Amino acid sequence: MAFDKVLKNVINKCLKQPKLLRCLSTHFKHDIEDHVGSKIKWTSTLDFVSPDCFSPIPTYRVLDSRGNILNKFEEPAIENATLEKMYKDMILVNTMDKVLYESQRQGRISFYMTNYGEEATHMGSAAALDLNDLVYGQYREVGVLIWRGFTLSEIMNQCYGNCLDPGKGKQMPIHYGSKRLNFVTISSPLATQIPQAAGSAYALKNQNRVVMCYFGEGAASEGDAHAAFNFAATLDCPVIFFCRNNGYAISTPTEDQYRGDGIAVRGPGYGITTVRVDGNDVLAVYNATKAAREFCLERSKPVLIEALTYRVGHHSTSDDSTAYRSQKEVDERIQNDNPVKKLRLYLENKNLWNEEKEKEWLHLTKRNVLEAFNAAEKILLPKWTEMFTDVYGVIPHHLRKQMNEMEKHLENYRDHYPLEKYST
Amino acid sequence: MLQKNSICVKILKGVLKSKDGECRKILRRNAHFSFYPEKPPSGSTTKMNMFQAINNALDITLRTDESALVFGEDVAFGGVFRCTVDLQKKYGKSRVFNTPLCEQGIIGFGIGAAASGATSVAEIQFADYIFPAFDQIVNEAAKYRYRSGGEFNCGRLTIRAPCGAVGHGALYHSQSPEAYFAHTPGLKVVIPRGPIKAKGLLLSCIRDPNPCLVLEPKILYRAAVEEVPSGDYGTLIGKADVVQEGKDVTLIGWGTQFHVLMEVAQLAKEKFGISCEVIDLVSILPWDLDTVCNSVKKTGRVLISHEAPLTSGFGAEIAACIQEECFLHLQAPVARITGFDTPFPHIFEPFYLPTKWRCLEAVKNLIDY
């Protein structure tokens, strides 16, 4: 078990230096030979490496569940205004989620996905990035957009697919994107954005920018995740892979998703510097992301962050999660490990927040959300001809012909189409 | 990887990679087609085979576009078909590089690089291995611009993939997957018939503001030699070539099959006195309906021929459109001579291919109808 001992030594060394990003891509200095690209150390003992040879990758925390700092050296120096914005944006996301979820239930928008329980992963990571950094998301990261300045109107316009939606109503609700905010438009196919993020990072190398790529632990099972980790490592791409491990992929619990030590343990296998953080601790997420960003820029290499959290809400408006998990499990999480509550306690300890501010902000956000929602609902949908634009840079001949055919058809059958909802 | 490569190596050693004339002679003797070179255009030209013309187009791209990247499996040492030879030496490892062996990764990476402003030329080693990247091509690359309302696009992405029969490529070194991609709005798909077209189309695709797929008939890499314009030029995407005019029957094909049809036209003339008009479709998506219909309206008879299987092959799309547009002009049903609805076989390749004899018979039947 000599090999195992060496590994344990390295792990212990890393553990003793919590500031250090966990780096399991170990470098042995003695008795090591090179063999066609592999480092080898001979042994005459037949020992299989089992998952039990390694202790679990520890989860980095800054705050305890009551919002107290565990180690004062780990407390990030974040300005008060920024801390307050983190909290306010979390509440904003919650309020917006509530309104949009309900409006879907009333049939006013076709679909919605809430962000309950994962607010700290959004705000902690977004705050540690530069606005110039390019972000690729999965779909449950609206807080990152809000942090960057995406307005409530922009959110509502996309969910309604009205005239003001830059996506021109072509995608389902919550598939946001913003060129202005360097947030690449979301698409439904899972994990496809991960190798794309690596490609973008390669193209943006040496421009003092990193690429941030979010995905869930379920998406990490896709082949594209494997492709991305390996490409990013071999091609030295300054990209942060940020995995939101919230315990479920729709109804599938993690024990049906993987049998290794989560997603983090895969990082070192690809030669990627990796860290696991408490995803309900906004300060831990912030510290990890900030350090990862610096690492990416300095070394032009990827970093993997696995943020452990819990999906408090249903998967989407098309899902009833009580069919596969107990309400008790959810309630316990909300009660005991709540990222919003944790930050609030921290802010209250610092005298940055109180009940009065809470009430005032709740009132204000609710009003703003409803205003934006009602305004978006009244705006006409884009003209039907927009259906044919942006397939290509320029509408090709054959497509123009199909558009003209539709135009003629509408002249004769216009009463059978909901034209009144669309611009002319 | 080893398996794939060992088969590649066999193919290369057996037919394509030989530098001596011996194998070239074998190729000529056994090939199911004769190459019909394009007329050399005026101006300065250089004699090149198709892989050299492609290499030349990539060289021009890397020289004229600082953002251009060329990548894929084994491209660094020059590529298993020599298309990228010397490019890494000339432009450095950061611009011409190997990727891990993972097609979905290659295209995903290429989309991201393109979306962030890098002209990305990705190589899939054989078109047969493009399917792992099907999701990235169809769901992502092709829909990038549409779904973002034009906020983001990956128009700077070009995918190159060797396709088509090669004599003994069997199931996974012979496929012609163009029809799968023809059903994908947002994508452009082209297939060159020789070096001149290969260079022009590749340069046009690389500069086109849409993601493009260039399917290169691998049997032509060495077999096709032409006087290729030395300079920088483009070939219009979406435009078919009427290469030989005729009045009795229109023959439509692309890639290697174009050359088969040229020979069929010659045979039809010699044996039956039939005058054939031969069209190289060049571009599969978007395709040149007008040129095809003008020809069919003139001749009243049409044969479409491709190596890919019959059912839902691209010939079906052309046939349906001809039927719509030229109904009153047709004097016989549209004929399709294609590969059979089987996987592409090894030892049976001579019987699988839409040979000149099968095509000739079809032309005769069209006239006799």
Side-chain angles (χ1 to χ4, degrees):
Chain A
M1 295 292 281
F3 180 72
D4 187 32
K5 271 182 195 159
V6 177
L7 258 180
K8 273 187 181 159
N9 265 342
V10 172
I11 290 168
N12 286 337
K13 265 185 198 164
C14 289
L15 286 176
K16 280 176 195 156
Q17 300 175 53
K19 258 282 182 196
L20 202 73
L21 274 176
R22 283 183 56 82
C23 176
L24 286 181
S25 50
T26 46
H27 297 281
F28 300 107
K29 293 280 185 263
H30 50 88
D31 300 339
I32 303 291
E33 289 177 29
D34 274 329
H35 183 72
V36 222
S38 291
K39 299 262 183 242
I40 54 166
K41 185 178 156 82
W42 300 111
T43 175
S44 50
T45 314
L46 178 62
D47 257 333
F48 289 92
V49 177
S50 94
D52 309 325
C53 295
F54 310 92
S55 49
I57 294 178
T59 304
Y60 171 70
R61 316 184 101 165
V62 174
L63 294 171
D64 69 12
S65 57
R66 293 178 306 285
N68 298 315
I69 297 285
L70 288 160
N71 172 352
K72 66 178 175 164
F73 298 110
E74 291 300 315
E75 185 175 9
I78 304 176
E79 283 179 24
N80 289 346
T82 310
L83 284 170
E84 205 172 303
K85 177 173 158 57
M86 281 177 168
Y87 183 72
K88 282 177 155 182
D89 280 357
M90 284 187 188
I91 297 295
L92 178 59
V93 170
N94 284 172
T95 312
M96 187 194 79
D97 274 355
K98 203 158 178 266
V99 169
L100 288 177
Y101 184 84
E102 290 305 324
S103 73
Q104 194 283 334
R105 295 282 125 185
Q106 295 162 14
R108 293 164 80 179
I109 59 172
S110 63
F111 179 78
Y112 195 67
M113 290 175 119
T114 63
N115 301 273
Y116 298 128
E118 300 184 43
E119 300 88 346
T121 61
H122 300 184
M123 300 316 163
S125 58
L129 295 175
D130 189 276
L131 265 181
N132 262 327
D133 297 336
L134 186 68
V135 180
Y136 281 86
Q138 179 166 303
Y139 49 61
R140 218 184 289 284
E141 296 93 5
V142 74
V144 177
L145 266 166
I146 286 179
W147 179 269
R148 294 192 151 216
F150 207 56
T151 65
L152 285 169
S153 298
E154 284 175 295
I155 286 168
M156 304 304 172
N157 291 336
Q158 198 284 330
C159 288
Y160 273 108
N162 66 26
C163 267
L164 300 178
D165 169 24
K168 297 165 190 166
K170 287 167 181 174
Q171 290 212 85
M172 283 172 81
I174 69 127
H175 291 60
Y176 313 111
S178 174
K179 183 87 186 154
R180 170 175 64 92
L181 301 173
N182 289 312
F183 192 103
V184 181
T185 304
I186 287 163
S187 73
S188 306
L190 285 181
T192 48
Q193 81 279 16
I194 318 179
Q196 292 173 16
S200 282
Y202 191 90
L204 298 176
K205 233 190 249 194
N206 304 322
Q207 292 182 29
N208 202 34
R209 297 170 74 180
V210 301
V211 176
M212 178 64 146
C213 179
Y214 297 92
F215 52 95
E217 91 286 349
S221 295
E222 292 282 1
D224 273 334
H226 159 67
F229 298 161
N230 202 24
F231 274 58
T234 55
L235 297 169
D236 295 328
C237 306
V239 56
I240 305 173
F241 296 121
F242 192 104
C243 179
R244 299 176 289 98
N245 189 340
N246 64 16
Y248 289 92
I250 308 187
S251 74
T252 307
T254 52
E255 65 256 35
D256 294 346
Q257 198 67 247
Y258 53 74
R259 284 295 160 93
D261 180 20
I263 308 305
V265 76
R266 298 176 197 173
Y270 289 101
I272 297 180
T273 300
T274 299
V275 67
R276 174 179 282 156
V277 300
D278 176 0
N280 294 340
D281 176 350
V282 71
L283 301 186
V285 174
Y286 175 86
N287 277 352
T289 309
K290 195 160 182 285
R293 184 175 189 276
E294 280 161 17
F295 180 93
C296 280
L297 288 178
E298 271 168 29
R299 311 254 192 115
S300 200
K301 285 182 189 303
V303 175
L304 171 64
I305 299 175
E306 181 185 24
L308 299 184
T309 173
Y310 186 81
R311 196 195 74 210
V312 170
H314 301 298
H315 164 69
S316 73
T317 47
S318 309
D319 172 53
D320 172 11
S321 67
T322 57
Y324 50 82
R325 66 178 183 185
S326 68
Q327 191 56 46
K328 190 169 157 266
E329 177 185 312
V330 179
D331 291 342
E332 273 174 17
R333 280 300 188 133
I334 297 172
Q335 200 54 44
N336 301 331
D337 199 9
N338 183 326
V340 183
K341 203 168 88 184
K342 209 145 89 168
L343 179 58
R344 181 175 168 179
L345 290 169
Y346 174 68
L347 293 183
E348 283 178 355
N349 289 345
K350 287 174 84 85
N351 279 325
L352 291 173
W353 200 256
N354 54 42
E355 189 55 34
E356 198 184 331
K357 276 188 171 181
E358 177 85 8
K359 267 188 191 159
E360 202 180 311
W361 181 244
L362 265 176
H363 179 74
L364 189 65
T365 48
K366 204 171 172 191
R367 203 186 65 195
N368 288 346
V369 167
L370 285 170
E371 255 176 33
F373 181 80
N374 290 326
E377 197 171 28
K378 290 191 188 81
I379 296 167
L380 282 175
L381 304 176
K383 192 181 176 190
W384 66 267
T385 50
E386 286 291 353
M387 176 166 72
F388 294 92
T389 61
D390 293 321
V391 180
Y392 295 92
V394 178
I395 302 181
H397 179 71
H398 71 281
L399 209 46
R400 192 162 288 283
K401 198 175 138 198
Q402 291 170 25
M403 188 164 87
N404 293 341
E405 281 167 14
M406 187 61 191
E407 189 149 37
K408 277 210 181 105
H409 171 70
L410 285 176
E411 280 169 20
N412 295 328
Y413 288 83
R414 59 180 307 119
D415 296 345
H416 303 282
Y417 293 87
L419 281 169
E420 69 285 355
K421 291 183 190 165
Y422 296 79
S423 313
T424 46
Chain B
M1 171 185 182
L2 276 176
Q3 215 171 10
K4 199 200 280 184
N5 272 355
S6 69
I7 297 169
C8 299
V9 167
K10 273 186 198 166
I11 287 171
L12 296 173
K13 278 188 181 161
V15 177
L16 295 170
K17 210 182 173 181
S18 66
K19 280 184 184 151
D20 55 359
E22 203 47 42
C23 284
R24 288 283 293 279
K25 276 181 213 151
I26 293 168
L27 171 67
R28 288 207 189 101
R29 201 162 55 236
N30 290 342
H32 66 284
F33 70 101
S34 303
F35 180 70
Y36 287 77
E38 268 189 68
K39 266 191 211 130
S42 55
S44 149
T45 61
T46 315
K47 196 172 181 180
M48 290 182 199
N49 64 25
M50 201 169 84
F51 86 64
Q52 288 163 334
I54 289 162
N55 182 276
N56 185 230
L58 294 173
D59 193 355
I60 289 171
T61 302
L62 288 158
R63 192 173 67 231
T64 57
D65 180 350
E66 271 185 9
S67 79
L69 307 173
V70 173
F71 52 89
E73 294 159 17
D74 304 301
V75 305
F77 88 112
V80 297
F81 290 112
R82 315 313 289 150
C83 292
T84 54
V85 84
D86 287 339
L87 295 178
Q88 190 182 64
K89 275 181 214 149
K90 234 168 147 176
Y91 298 100
K93 287 179 177 173
S94 64
R95 300 188 62 199
V96 180
F97 51 90
N98 288 338
T99 65
L101 205 163
C102 180
E103 286 76 12
Q104 63 196 99
I106 293 171
I107 304 304
F109 179 91
I111 292 169
S116 289
T119 297
S120 305
V121 189
E123 178 180 308
I124 297 293
Q125 203 161 70
F126 285 83
D128 311 63
Y129 304 123
I130 204 167
F131 302 114
F134 201 70
D135 184 43
Q136 284 284 357
I137 296 172
V138 172
N139 274 332
E140 294 291 314
K143 297 173 175 59
Y144 226 76
R145 186 193 305 270
Y146 189 74
R147 72 190 188 200
S148 68
E151 289 239 300
F152 294 92
N153 74 80
C154 62
R156 300 173 86 100
L157 173 68
T158 300
I159 305 164
R160 297 178 39 243
C163 73
V166 69
H168 51 273
L171 286 81
Y172 307 112
H173 297 82
S174 309
Q175 292 182 62
S176 298
E178 65 269 14
Y180 291 106
F181 296 101
H183 199 57
T184 308
L187 205 62
K188 291 192 177 181
V189 183
V190 299
I191 307 180
R193 68 170 184 273
I196 296 175
K197 275 276 171 309
K199 179 176 170 182
L201 281 173
L202 184 51
L203 283 168
S204 289
C205 282
I206 288 168
R207 290 156 183 175
D208 190 271
N210 299 286
C212 297
L213 172 59
V214 187
L215 294 168
E216 302 164 355
K218 66 180 91 62
I219 202 166
L220 300 177
Y221 277 140
R222 281 169 190 271
V225 181
E226 283 173 343
E227 286 293 334
V228 179
S230 317
D232 189 344
Y233 65 95
T235 299
L236 211 55
I237 301 168
K239 182 82 188 67
D241 288 347
V242 180
V243 180
Q244 181 179 301
E245 295 199 13
K247 57 182 180 47
D248 299 329
V249 186
T250 299
L251 311 182
I252 304 166
W254 49 90
T256 320
Q257 197 61 14
F258 160 81
H259 302 288
V260 174
L261 293 178
M262 284 294 280
E263 200 174 345
V264 170
Q266 208 176 320
L267 289 168
K269 188 83 192 167
E270 288 163 13
K271 290 189 185 289
F272 310 114
I274 299 168
S275 161
C276 294
E277 179 144 308
V278 186
I279 296 178
D280 174 12
L281 197 65
V282 183
S283 187
I284 304 295
L285 184 67
W287 66 284
D288 191 350
L289 178 71
D290 289 347
T291 297
V292 166
C293 288
N294 286 341
S295 173
V296 175
K297 281 174 187 169
K298 182 175 76 178
T299 61
R301 296 177 179 87
V302 57
L303 165 70
I304 306 156
S305 185
H306 54 68
E307 286 180 14
L310 176 72
T311 301
S312 291
F314 196 64
E317 177 61 32
I318 302 173
C321 289
I322 289 172
Q323 182 270 139
E324 271 175 14
E325 301 287 326
C326 313
F327 188 67
L328 294 175
H329 301 267
L330 284 175
Q331 297 178 41
V334 176
R336 286 183 288 158
I337 297 296
T338 69
F340 295 109
D341 287 343
T342 68
F344 198 109
H346 186 214
I347 58 163
F348 304 120
E349 179 167 325
F351 305 97
Y352 171 88
L353 284 174
T355 59
K356 58 191 170 198
W357 305 114
R358 282 175 63 204
C359 292
L360 183 66
E361 186 182 25
V363 169
K364 184 73 174 31
N365 291 343
L366 279 169
I367 296 294
D368 294 344
Y369 185 79

